[in-house]
Amino acid sequence: MLVFPAPSRGYLSEVDNFHFQTTKHAKDNKTPLIPRHPIDALSEQDAEWGVYTAKDGFVFDEEDHDAPIGAMFVDLQKPEWNDRAFDRIESFCEEHPEVPTIFYTDEMGPAAELTRDRIDTSTLRVTNEMLAQAFSKDDASPGESDLTTQERILSNGGVEVLQFPITDEDFGSLIPDFIELKNKCQNRDLAYVEVSRVFNRLTKQPFKPHYWTRAVGSNAFFDDVPGYIKRIKRRAENASSGGNLLFNYARKANEVQGYLNDKHVLQNTVLDAIQRAGETNDTSRFVVSNTAEKKGSPARGNRLGLRHPQKRRTY
């Protein structure tokens, strides 16, 4: 997809922030789910799947371009696209009628009006009134959950989305005290880094803690939960104040770690999904979201999502 964006609107950062998070290899810490490639010229767009975003001064060097374009999006809120480069964008659209193109604007300026006249169709005006009156083409089935409705809406055009909510009440019962102790330690700036990393390791990694310990081994670049807990205890012994709080946090972290090493519902679900994915010829991607900590009340679940553009699956 070729996009002529308005960077000041902020949606490019939303695309960039939608990524995998891996912690074993630091260089891969941000592998995007939707690859984005900023380009200076049309010839820099190739056949690799992703979003290609035009930069200032974009050049339409069609003579050096032979890769297909799946679709185009032109944000006329950016002055360059509705003024200096508008005629060239319009010409490109006329020369390539097979490429679906969306022109977006927040107000009907000259460029938007010319575009409306050229395509000779009514303009879709998205207003609060229209959104309030919107309805789903397919009525929800009796008893259909919000999650199932999301799957049905998103699963179209060769894209399949499967989401699996995962709940562990026993693990959920451990979280409120764990969160409270973490917040107390951090509010007093007690072993801030170690406390935070222990919490993140235990609540966000989709596998048993001892698997991570085994994977990193003796690699000094990485720390595991037992290592961080030892450091917290040493900090507690040497602290002039707050030592008891750190010891309590270390004990609770040990309790959570022991539970997850014995029973990790999310890991089991992920492994089952990986096994099922291996039985198909589709390319699969996995997205694991853990909502163990939320403002207000701590959630007790995880979510495993799946989608596959062009026969790709993402779990």
Side-chain angles (χ1 to χ4, degrees), residues 220-231:
F221 187 78
F222 300 101
D223 284 302
D224 57 5
V225 170
Y228 277 122
I229 290 177
K230 287 181 182 177
R231 291 167 63 178

Side-chain angles (χ1 to χ4, degrees), residues 139-205:
D139 292 333
S141 302
E144 185 178 59
S145 67
D146 291 343
L147 191 60
T148 305
T149 302
Q150 292 174 22
E151 291 177 357
R152 178 168 50 78
I153 293 173
L154 295 173
S155 297
N156 62 76
V159 177
E160 182 180 3
V161 178
L162 300 179
Q163 300 183 69
F164 306 96
I166 304 162
T167 302
D168 184 345
E169 293 294 335
D170 292 334
F171 177 64
S173 67
L174 298 174
I175 293 300
D177 289 344
F178 196 27
I179 292 174
E180 183 179 1
L181 287 168
K182 174 186 74 80
N183 291 339
K184 286 181 177 179
C185 290
Q186 292 185 330
N187 288 339
R188 295 180 60 179
D189 200 21
L190 299 172
Y192 194 98
V193 172
E194 291 87 348
V195 166
S196 176
R197 290 185 178 175
V198 165
F199 184 87
N200 290 338
R201 289 277 192 271
L202 292 175
T203 61
K204 296 184 179 180
Q205 288 184 329

Side-chain angles (χ1 to χ4, degrees), residues 109-276:
E113 292 176 353
L114 285 172
T115 301
R116 179 190 57 192
D117 295 341
R118 178 182 64 80
I119 61 179
D120 191 26
T121 187
S122 60
T123 302
L124 174 62
R125 296 181 182 275
V126 181
T127 63
N128 289 336
E129 181 181 1
M130 187 200 77
L131 294 174
Q133 297 174 352
F135 63 91
S136 173
K137 182 176 66 174
D138 300 321
D139 292 333
S141 302
E144 185 178 59
S145 67
D146 291 343
L147 191 60
T148 305
T149 302
Q150 292 174 22
E151 291 177 357
R152 178 168 50 78
I153 293 173
L154 295 173
S155 297
N156 62 76
V159 177
E160 182 180 3
V161 178
L162 300 179
Q163 300 183 69
F164 306 96
I166 304 162
T167 302
D168 184 345
E169 293 294 335
D170 292 334
F171 177 64
S173 67
L174 298 174
I175 293 300
D177 289 344
F178 196 27
I179 292 174
E180 183 179 1
L181 287 168
K182 174 186 74 80
N183 291 339
K184 286 181 177 179
C185 290
Q186 292 185 330
N187 288 339
R188 295 180 60 179
D189 200 21
L190 299 172
Y192 194 98
V193 172
E194 291 87 348
V195 166
S196 176
R197 290 185 178 175
V198 165
F199 184 87
N200 290 338
R201 289 277 192 271
L202 292 175
T203 61
K204 296 184 179 180
Q205 288 184 329
F207 41 76
K208 294 183 177 181
H210 70 77
Y211 285 173
W212 173 255
T213 299
R214 184 192 307 170
V216 299
S218 59
N219 191 327
F221 187 78
F222 300 101
D223 284 302
D224 57 5
V225 170
Y228 277 122
I229 290 177
K230 287 181 182 177
R231 291 167 63 178
I232 290 173
K233 289 181 177 178
R234 285 198 299 268
R235 297 285 293 272
E237 292 171 353
N238 298 323
S240 57
S241 64
N244 288 336
L245 183 56
L246 286 174
F247 276 123
N248 289 337
Y249 180 80
R251 279 193 290 269
K252 177 58 69 173
N254 262 327
E255 182 182 357
V256 174
Q257 176 184 223
Y259 178 86
L260 292 175
N261 279 331
D262 291 336
K263 179 184 177 183
H264 203 301
V265 177
L266 178 57
Q267 173 189 281
N268 294 339
T269 305
V270 172
L271 293 178
D272 288 343
I274 290 174
Q275 183 176 354
R276 290 195 301 272

